[in-house]
Amino acid sequence: MRRRRIRWLAGAAIAVAIVVVAVVALRTPKVAVRVGSGTANLWVGSGGGSCTRRPTPAREIPSGDCESLGAAYQAAQCGDTVDIDAGDYSGTTQNLVNEPSLDACSSPVVFEPAPGVKRSSVIFGTIRSGYLGQDRTTGASNWTLKDVTVKTLITLMAPADHVIINHIQGGTMYINGARNFTLENSNLGPCYNTLPGPDPEVTCQSNFKIDPQWKQPTGAVYNTTNIDLFHNVFHDFIDNNTNPSTDHDECIFLNGGADITVNSNKFYDCQLYGIFIQPYSGVGFTNLLIENNSFSRTQNSGSNTNPAGIPRDSAVDFGTNSTAINNALVRFNSFSADEGITDDGHNPPGTNDRVVGNIIGDSGAANCIRGVIYAYNIWGGHDCGSTDISVSRLPYVDASPDSGDFELTPHSVAQGFVTASGPDYTLSTDFYGHRRPTAAPRDAGAVESDPATR
């Protein structure tokens, strides 16, 4: 059992170290370092060049480099690799514009650092694959970006399709009208709702946001579909108290969309919410799934002298709005002792909303949400369903609110607690990617314990 906890804590330590390394890198001069090893079809270097594609992957010729990701994308063909030299490219916005010849790729264009170059040594500011304000958005399709730092923002808009972001240090993102997108193994934050913030090296502003639908001036409608946020860390999205009109900066703001999955992510130091669900645009959710995540240290609005604020119980919130939230399944998540799942606006009752198999703490102020079906949850305060229970101490090895450790106490009430079967209770892995039982019973919460501890 302890082996699992150590593995995740090691990953968290790496994520913190990455933030430090990225900050150090941002203070270095904007000079690209030529590596010159390895092979690729195209190369990106800070000096640029003729942006010449090599039909067969070959070693870098600096005079043939591309000056930007966008130029390399336009020159690429399906399945090409684009290597990026070390350097700070944040002074220039990177625009990836839809290229029709790449729309039907079965293999994406892959952007990655040149061999031997670390993530912290390839630094971008803003990457735009379409953006608000365009007369007609031009989000690019069939590309993958991995192992880089994007310190401000990535936008992904229609007609973008089949995009993967893997193992980046961010920054934040805005998604609207995109389809088939995955963000995985990445570290998002810190980020302030207004700039400048307490740390001038932090340049990202606004939450990680997903909007449900984009309408082009031509009349074409693009629905945000099949968005997968998997195994990331979202942290320190905070209000720095510099603008009273923007008084919160939750880690993720979900406005709507189809087939959105938030799976096996770690949330901490989010203000005022870890995940804020509010379909204010009138286009709601189809199959919103929030599973296997951990939530700790959700906080109230702070100030410049105390940016962390005070504890708040709204890690996942069904937000204030006149529109009902429908088709949401929140299952097998772990919450720290002073927070949980809330409804701060008393929305109209939704349909087909389920909260099952979670371990939920609250401060006593949380309410049972009207219209939601609750089952097999363990609460640190009140309970909301006939198969829910309330306990005086959450069944974690370390149940203190700030620990962020959600390993289960051996022989605890959470082990084997979920005895129901059916689609809502059937999930193959836990927070760590370890297999869950193929049939009930299963452990409540994000972490499935070793069978020997039951």
Side-chain angles (χ1 to χ4, degrees):
M1 176 183 68
R2 303 299 293 173
R3 176 177 58 84
R4 291 181 176 178
R5 182 172 69 89
I6 291 169
R7 285 182 61 192
W8 179 257
L9 291 178
I14 291 170
V16 172
I18 288 165
V19 174
V20 174
V21 171
V23 170
V24 172
L26 300 182
R27 295 190 177 109
T28 60
K30 296 182 179 181
V31 177
V33 178
R34 302 288 183 173
V35 175
S37 62
T39 61
N41 301 95
L42 290 151
W43 294 75
V44 172
S46 63
S50 61
C51 198
T52 301
R53 177 182 180 270
R54 314 286 286 278
T56 301
R59 291 185 179 275
E60 179 183 20
I61 300 175
S63 62
D65 284 357
C66 304
E67 65 177 355
S68 67
L69 301 181
Y73 179 79
Q74 292 297 316
Q77 295 185 13
C78 298
D80 278 0
T81 298
V82 180
D83 278 358
I84 309 167
D85 287 334
D88 186 339
Y89 302 86
S90 61
T92 302
T93 297
Q94 306 287 316
N95 288 299
L96 289 166
V97 177
N98 182 56
E99 169 51 52
S101 66
L102 301 176
D103 283 350
C105 288
S106 58
S107 298
V109 177
V110 178
F111 297 94
E112 62 186 6
V117 174
K118 297 180 179 179
R119 173 170 76 171
S120 59
S121 298
V122 178
I123 303 164
F124 297 101
T126 297
I127 298 175
R128 301 193 303 192
S129 181
Y131 57 94
L132 289 172
Q134 280 186 301
D135 184 46
R136 179 177 178 179
T137 56
T138 58
S141 296
N142 293 303
W143 56 279
T144 295
L145 175 69
K146 59 183 181 178
D147 300 319
V148 303
T149 295
V150 184
K151 63 180 185 178
T152 302
L153 172 69
I154 300 174
T155 62
L156 189 65
M157 297 195 67
D161 193 1
H162 290 100
V163 175
I164 297 173
I165 307 292
N166 186 12
H167 195 247
I168 71 160
Q169 167 62 49
T172 187
M173 284 196 69
Y174 175 69
I175 301 168
N176 193 351
R179 297 164 291 179
N180 301 305
F181 168 72
T182 299
L183 172 72
E184 59 188 353
N185 307 315
S186 295
N187 185 71
L188 283 296
C191 193
Y192 305 124
N193 68 325
T194 52
L195 298 176
D199 182 351
E201 299 293 342
V202 175
T203 61
C204 66
Q205 179 180 349
S206 81
N207 43 40
F208 187 108
K209 187 179 182 186
I210 299 177
D211 277 338
Q213 186 181 84
W214 181 259
K215 297 180 181 180
Q216 300 280 36
T218 59
V221 176
Y222 292 88
N223 294 306
T224 303
T225 306
N226 196 23
I227 307 299
D228 190 5
L229 310 180
F230 173 70
H231 199 248
N232 306 290
V233 180
F234 294 88
H235 66 98
D236 293 289
F237 281 70
I238 62 176
D239 170 24
N240 58 33
N241 206 37
T242 57
N243 185 348
S245 66
T246 54
D247 63 351
H248 61 91
D249 199 23
E250 56 275 331
C251 282
I252 295 180
F253 188 165
L254 299 178
N255 180 22
D259 300 315
I260 297 174
T261 299
V262 185
N263 179 13
S264 301
N265 301 280
K266 184 171 188 142
F267 294 84
Y268 65 91
D269 291 338
C270 304
Q271 295 182 344
L272 298 168
Y273 314 96
I275 301 176
F276 185 48
I277 308 169
Q278 186 189 71
Y280 68 87
S281 63
V283 179
F285 296 95
T286 303
N287 298 330
L288 170 61
L289 177 60
I290 299 172
E291 67 178 8
N292 280 337
N293 303 284
S294 73
F295 298 89
S296 61
R297 303 205 304 260
T298 305
Q299 297 160 0
N300 220 329
S301 296
S303 66
N304 286 328
T305 57
N306 183 25
I310 59 176
R312 182 178 165 96
D313 61 3
S314 52
V316 174
D317 188 77
F318 285 54
T320 304
N321 196 34
S322 60
T323 302
I325 295 168
N326 302 318
N327 305 307
L329 173 58
V330 183
R331 65 176 182 176
F332 294 90
N333 300 280
S334 291
F335 297 81
S336 67
D338 58 0
E339 60 186 284
I341 303 170
T342 58
D343 171 11
D344 68 2
H346 305 292
N347 293 317
T351 59
N352 197 36
D353 293 327
R354 296 95 71 207
V355 173
V356 303
N358 303 279
I359 301 176
I360 309 169
D362 66 54
S363 62
N367 56 288
C368 301
I369 303 169
R370 294 185 302 162
V372 170
I373 298 170
Y374 293 89
Y376 297 96
N377 301 290
I378 299 173
W379 297 80
H382 70 297
D383 55 74
C384 291
S386 62
T387 54
D388 291 358
I389 63 170
S390 179
V391 295
S392 59
R393 181 188 185 277
L394 294 182
Y396 305 134
V397 172
D398 185 347
S400 58
D402 293 337
S403 76
D405 180 359
F406 300 102
E407 200 76 23
L408 296 177
T409 301
H411 314 295
S412 74
V413 67
Q415 294 174 306
F417 177 72
V418 184
T419 58
S421 298
D424 283 359
Y425 303 94
T426 303
L427 66 172
S428 59
T429 59
D430 73 352
F431 179 73
Y432 297 101
H434 296 157
R435 292 192 63 82
R436 291 188 186 263
T438 56
R442 298 180 178 87
D443 294 350
V447 179
E448 187 76 24
S449 59
D450 294 331
T453 68
R454 287 189 177 179

